[in-house]
Amino acid sequence: MGILLKPLCFLTLSFCALVAQASANHTFTAALTEVRTGSVNGREILTIHIDAKVGPANCQGNVLRVDTQSLNLPGKKEAMESIALEAMLTSERVIITVPIEWDECVDGMPTLTDINLAPGVY
């Protein structure tokens, strides 16, 4: 019985950690109402306006920002900007991921961590 207890505890703790990590983000579908890119205090910022209020309790809103210099994946900045602009031009909805941790805000606005075009219904 003791032989199975350690692996079982490890698997349970791993599962709980994954669930906790997954619950730290909120993914939803939204329509973009405005997209801006620019520099704020020397940081490159992508700002999008959506049709719903989202984000952590301390900075909920319909304006989302991401400091594009904080993106670690090569090409992520360009991809996010391209998707946002395409969605605006074509009036397509997007799938957006927003962290819901209290410290995940940029200049008092919710942070955008991922954006993709929502699959269309044909």
Side-chain angles (χ1 to χ4, degrees):
M1 183 72 165
I3 294 172
L4 293 176
L5 189 56
K6 279 187 180 180
L8 183 58
C9 286
F10 177 74
L11 288 174
T12 303
L13 289 174
S14 297
F15 177 73
C16 289
L18 285 174
V19 169
Q21 183 180 13
S23 66
N25 289 318
H26 178 70
T27 301
F28 60 95
T29 303
L32 300 182
T33 59
E34 187 175 337
V35 176
R36 293 183 187 180
T37 59
S39 181
V40 176
N41 295 329
R43 299 181 306 175
E44 290 296 317
I45 302 289
L46 171 64
T47 304
I48 65 169
H49 297 242
I50 60 172
D51 62 350
K53 289 191 176 196
V54 298
N58 64 322
C59 69
Q60 284 191 350
N62 64 336
V63 179
L64 310 175
R65 283 194 165 170
V66 63
D67 179 352
T68 56
Q69 294 169 338
S70 69
L71 300 172
N72 296 330
L73 298 173
K76 180 78 172 176
K77 171 189 176 231
E78 292 81 8
M80 289 177 78
E81 289 175 355
S82 177
I83 290 167
L85 291 173
E86 180 179 347
M88 276 296 301
L89 292 173
T90 61
S91 299
E92 290 187 51
R93 295 183 68 80
V94 292
I95 299 171
I96 295 175
T97 303
V98 176
I100 56 173
E101 294 294 322
W102 66 271
D103 61 345
E104 293 287 339
C105 300
V106 175
D107 298 330
M109 296 176 196
T111 304
L112 170 69
T113 57
D114 201 14
I115 184 170
N116 288 296
L117 293 175
V121 178
Y122 301 103

